[in-house]
Amino acid sequence: MEIPENIQAQLNQFQQLQQQAQAVTMQIQNVEVQIQETEKALEELKKTDENTDVFKQAGTLLIKVEYADALSDTEDKLETLQLRKQTMARQEERVMKKLEEMQATIQAAMQGMGQ
């Protein structure tokens, strides 16, 4: 039995959506790692004295920066990463919901074909 073109198109769209969901999930995992690293850096920075020399990586170089600037930059980076994670989590939710809807539609169409 051959699959009708409209169902085949839906299957193709479903596969593309699955790939998109995988990509978003991988991006979320990547951001989570960055959040953990930034939290660790912030924790270590807060343990140090304000008079301690602090360096910031810029490419392959380490550049001396003011303690307050390093603290502020690290807190800003953490906040940005957390917002990015929230945004991607919402995107992942939408994609997963769409996948579920498409799966139900495709299954209904396939069952209709079999009868």
Side-chain angles (χ1 to χ4, degrees):
M1 176 171 34
E2 194 169 310
I3 299 175
E5 282 186 39
N6 65 330
I7 295 177
Q8 187 61 47
Q10 286 179 337
L11 287 170
N12 290 338
Q13 190 178 12
F14 183 77
Q15 286 178 327
Q16 289 174 346
L17 210 51
Q18 280 180 317
Q19 290 171 350
Q20 183 181 352
Q22 277 183 317
V24 171
T25 301
M26 288 175 57
Q27 289 173 347
I28 290 172
Q29 290 171 348
N30 186 8
V31 169
E32 285 173 344
V33 168
Q34 290 179 40
I35 287 172
Q36 289 172 355
E37 290 173 353
T38 305
E39 286 174 337
K40 182 68 175 163
L42 192 56
E43 181 183 318
E44 291 300 320
L45 192 56
K46 287 181 177 180
K47 287 180 187 177
T48 63
D49 184 84
E50 289 185 29
N51 299 321
T52 304
D53 287 341
V54 179
F55 295 87
K56 179 178 180 177
Q57 187 170 351
T60 58
L61 301 174
L62 290 178
I63 299 175
K64 188 175 179 180
V65 293
E66 293 294 321
Y67 176 88
D69 291 341
L71 186 62
S72 175
D73 289 350
T74 306
E75 288 171 339
D76 288 348
K77 179 179 179 181
L78 181 60
E79 185 179 339
T80 300
L81 288 168
Q82 289 169 335
L83 287 172
R84 186 179 304 159
K85 180 182 172 189
Q86 289 174 357
T87 301
M88 287 189 295
R90 284 193 299 269
Q91 182 181 359
E92 183 182 41
E93 263 181 50
R94 286 191 302 269
V95 170
M96 296 307 268
K97 185 176 182 203
K98 180 76 172 159
L99 272 172
E100 289 173 11
E101 291 169 359
M102 284 187 73
Q103 184 175 10
T105 302
I106 291 169
Q107 283 176 338
M110 295 292 280
Q111 286 175 352
M113 257 181 52
Q115 295 177 354

